[in-house]
Amino acid sequence: VLCLDVSMPGPGLVPTVEGVRACSPQTRILVVTTHDDPAYARAALAAGANGYVLKTAPVSDLLAAIRAVAAGARVLAAELE
């Protein structure tokens, strides 16, 4: 599972997700971020991310999200549903 953030340096989240998808389609991608705007989550998932969770979530929720994405599930922070 590759964990990314919306605010990471470089080309940005969407191009990074698309690039990882193109180079390594089997890689599971989880966005872990402080950005709680649903537009960011929609863009990340549309680009190919498998999940989007907030850094403010309890550690147990973050671990559950990593495990769920690794197992093939799609995860979205409850606040953004």
Side-chain angles (χ1 to χ4, degrees):
V1 175
L2 173 63
C3 295
L4 300 174
D5 192 349
V6 171
S7 297
M8 65 186 176
L13 180 66
V14 169
T16 300
V17 170
E18 291 172 341
V20 169
R21 271 290 149 247
C23 294
S24 182
Q26 74 280 5
T27 298
R28 309 296 295 169
I29 301 170
L30 177 63
V31 178
V32 183
T33 187
T34 59
H35 296 280
D36 61 359
D37 184 339
Y40 284 116
R42 283 191 301 272
L45 295 172
N50 304 102
Y52 191 101
V53 295
L54 300 177
K55 289 181 179 179
T56 55
V59 171
S60 59
D61 290 355
L62 295 174
L63 289 172
I66 292 168
R67 290 182 180 118
V69 166
R74 185 170 238 191
V75 175
L76 179 61
E79 300 88 344
L80 301 175
E81 292 180 354

